[in-house]
Amino acid sequence: MNDPLILAFDVGTQSMRALLVDKSGAVCAALQQIYDEPYYSRNPNWAEQRPDMYFETLCSLSSQLRAAQPEAFRRVIAAALTVFRDTVVCVDAQGRPLRDAILWMDQRRVRQPKPLPKAKKLLFAAAGMTDTIDMLTHTAICNWLAENEPEMWEKMDKYVMLSTYLSFRLTGRMADSVASMIGHIPFDYKNRVWDKNGLTRCL
């Protein structure tokens, strides 16, 4: 058969899979690689990882799959990427990580988040969301970074999801799918753009 195939990468927290998928969705070949160290913790309840560990694993799996299925691999016409969400990477103007990624399971908390404007506080109170907003403000990673790593925060050009960073490494474009976003970062889902006020705080 000479039907085209899609090379799909499924990036998980503990392991990654590379799959060759045909137009009907059937998996023609697959490989899995378990990470040597899924994450590390510098403090209790923290979880971090080198962003490039995921890219290196992706490249390794791609090479292994090509070696194992050379004929099928020549039929690949596109690549697809799915990544676990809510894992952030801070990059400079060249797209290079300024620090290791903070993973979705990380539980660090902000000590003294900036107070919300009075109008927003009243709005959230009227909606019965005061406790929820307080929790989100204290757990938002961007608020923790601004509070605890101000020098890195000032150098940062973009604050992106891991999926965005891996897409950039694959294509050279800092772009992502709306489906890869998460509700507590300032992304305008209706217009599919970042919040016009910029990333100065997360809630």
Side-chain angles (χ1 to χ4, degrees):
M1 294 181 63
N2 295 310
D3 290 341
L5 298 175
I6 302 297
L7 173 59
F9 296 101
D10 178 15
V11 182
T13 307
Q14 303 289 328
S15 67
M16 187 184 303
R17 295 187 302 160
L19 309 96
L20 293 176
V21 184
D22 68 17
K23 60 183 180 181
S24 71
V27 176
C28 303
L31 287 176
Q32 182 179 26
Q33 187 167 324
I34 297 172
Y35 308 135
D36 292 333
E37 182 184 44
Y39 63 90
Y40 67 87
S41 299
R42 291 184 291 154
N43 287 293
N45 299 320
W46 288 20
E48 301 184 33
Q49 182 56 271
R50 289 189 308 112
D52 284 328
M53 186 279 288
Y54 301 101
F55 185 69
E56 291 159 8
T57 304
L58 185 153
C59 292
S60 173
L61 276 171
S62 181
S63 296
Q64 292 176 55
L65 195 56
R66 181 176 57 185
Q69 301 282 342
E71 295 299 324
F73 208 88
R74 279 194 280 271
R75 291 154 49 198
V76 170
I77 61 169
L81 182 68
T82 178
V83 183
F84 58 90
R85 296 193 303 163
D86 207 10
T87 292
V88 299
V89 184
C90 302
V91 299
D92 64 16
Q94 286 72 48
R96 296 174 301 210
L98 293 169
R99 68 174 327 280
D100 284 350
I102 300 177
L103 275 61
W104 63 269
M105 80 259 313
D106 191 283
Q107 297 180 37
R108 68 191 73 191
R109 292 181 64 86
V110 179
R111 292 187 300 272
Q112 294 182 322
K114 293 179 181 178
L116 288 171
K118 187 175 181 180
K120 281 192 174 182
K121 287 181 70 173
L122 291 172
L123 181 64
F124 289 134
M129 295 183 62
T130 298
D131 290 343
T132 300
I133 296 302
D134 182 67
M135 180 273 291
L136 292 173
T137 301
H138 280 83
T139 58
I141 293 301
C142 66
N143 290 344
W144 187 93
L145 290 168
E147 179 181 78
N148 293 276
E149 299 181 9
E151 291 185 5
M152 186 284 301
W153 188 254
E154 287 300 315
K155 293 177 184 177
M156 183 181 66
D157 184 66
K158 293 180 177 65
Y159 176 88
V160 301
M161 297 292 104
L162 177 61
S163 53
T164 316
Y165 178 70
L166 293 178
S167 294
F168 169 71
R169 291 300 311 270
L170 286 168
T171 67
R173 293 181 62 236
M174 198 66 77
D176 207 341
S177 166
V178 172
S180 295
M181 297 299 103
I182 193 75
H184 57 77
I185 62 173
F187 183 76
D188 181 345
Y189 283 85
K190 183 177 180 180
N191 297 303
R192 300 191 176 194
V193 295
W194 291 107
D195 187 290
K196 63 182 180 180
N197 296 316
L199 184 58
T200 58
R201 61 178 297 122
C202 291
L203 291 173

